[in-house]
């Protein structure tokens, strides 16, 4: 009887741990999946292909590393909404930052803005495909406050400037 009580307690703790872990990971995965499908659709409706390619290298560094770096830099910023276009590595990397959206339609709208800008400023391969990487981060809404906003960052190689 004592063994069964102990087993139930251990299982309850394990279940709570699994539930907490799934809630933490589920949020970021949902955002990334939403933006991936929104980028794909935005590209298709604009006659281009947008594909996640974390292994593509720009200046010897994978796009996924550029996404992490951009998220790390922007994570330190404070503001109610950091949505916008940023550049890194002397303009060689473009980062589109999108505040978490609460509907598929809003994700599609924001992805459309990013793809429109990509067509003008980003480097595509010979087939017109844009390789991107996606990362996530949280940034404080206000200084000295704990409230944060969730963001997605999309990085792409910029066109060469002369």
């Amino acid at each position: 009887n004592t063994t069964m009580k102990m087993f139930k307690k251990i299982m309850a703790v394990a279940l709570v741990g699994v539930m907490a872990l799934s809630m933490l990971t589920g949020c970021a995965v949902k955002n990334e999946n939403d933006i991936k499908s929104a980028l794909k659709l935005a590209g298709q409706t604009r006659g281009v292909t947008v594909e996640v390619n974390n292994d593509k290298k720009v200046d010897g560094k994978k796009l996924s590393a550029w996404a992490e770096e951009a998220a790390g830099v922007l994570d330190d910023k404070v503001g109610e909404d950091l949505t916008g276009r940023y550049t890194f590595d002397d303009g060689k990397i473009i980062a589109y930052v999108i505040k978490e959206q609460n509907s598929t339609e809003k994700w599609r709208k924001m992805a459309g803005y990013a793809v429109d800008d990509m067509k003008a400023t980003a480097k595509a391969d010979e087939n017109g495909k844009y390789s991107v990487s996606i990362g996530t981060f949280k940034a404080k809404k206000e200084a000295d406050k704990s409230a944060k906003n969730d963001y997605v960052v999309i990085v792409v190689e910029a066109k060469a400037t002369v």
Side-chain angles (χ1 to χ4, degrees), residues 66-134:
W66 284 114
E68 285 178 30
E69 184 174 319
V73 169
L74 295 168
D75 181 303
D76 292 335
K77 290 186 176 287
V78 176
E80 181 56 38
D81 192 351
L82 301 176
T83 298
R85 181 183 185 277
Y86 301 84
T87 59
F88 295 90
D89 194 31
D90 296 322
K92 294 177 187 168
I93 296 292
I94 300 169
Y96 302 99
V97 174
I98 302 172
K99 188 175 175 181
E100 182 178 25
Q101 302 296 309
N102 59 9
S103 75
T104 301
E105 191 55 40
K106 288 181 180 178
W107 278 119
R108 287 181 181 163
K109 183 177 178 182
M110 298 306 287
Y113 293 144
V115 172
D116 285 340
D117 189 76
M118 272 183 218
K119 287 178 68 176
T121 61
K123 183 177 180 181
D125 70 9
E126 62 278 354
N127 298 315
K129 179 173 65 177
Y130 296 91
S131 294
V132 302
S133 185
I134 299 171

Side-chain angles (χ1 to χ4, degrees), residues 8-157:
K8 286 182 180 180
K9 287 181 183 179
I10 291 171
M11 290 310 292
V13 169
L15 180 61
V16 168
V18 168
M19 289 173 60
L21 184 60
S22 67
M23 284 187 348
L24 289 173
T25 57
C27 223
V29 171
K30 181 184 182 301
N31 286 346
E32 287 188 40
N33 287 337
D34 285 348
I35 197 64
K36 282 179 189 176
S37 62
L39 282 168
K40 183 177 180 178
L41 181 63
Q44 288 171 346
T45 60
R46 288 159 175 80
V48 297
T49 302
V50 179
E51 179 180 275
V52 174
N53 180 353
N54 294 320
D55 294 329
K56 179 181 176 181
K57 290 188 176 182
V58 178
D59 274 2
K61 189 188 301 187
K62 290 182 180 182
L63 278 179
S64 57
W66 284 114
E68 285 178 30
E69 184 174 319
V73 169
L74 295 168
D75 181 303
D76 292 335
K77 290 186 176 287
V78 176
E80 181 56 38
D81 192 351
L82 301 176
T83 298
R85 181 183 185 277
Y86 301 84
T87 59
F88 295 90
D89 194 31
D90 296 322
K92 294 177 187 168
I93 296 292
I94 300 169
Y96 302 99
V97 174
I98 302 172
K99 188 175 175 181
E100 182 178 25
Q101 302 296 309
N102 59 9
S103 75
T104 301
E105 191 55 40
K106 288 181 180 178
W107 278 119
R108 287 181 181 163
K109 183 177 178 182
M110 298 306 287
Y113 293 144
V115 172
D116 285 340
D117 189 76
M118 272 183 218
K119 287 178 68 176
T121 61
K123 183 177 180 181
D125 70 9
E126 62 278 354
N127 298 315
K129 179 173 65 177
Y130 296 91
S131 294
V132 302
S133 185
I134 299 171
T136 59
F137 69 97
K138 292 179 180 285
K140 286 186 177 185
K141 292 181 183 182
E142 299 174 54
D144 302 327
K145 304 260 176 157
S146 62
K148 294 186 175 188
N149 285 323
D150 292 323
Y151 291 92
V152 169
V153 61
I154 304 157
V155 296
V156 64
E157 182 178 7

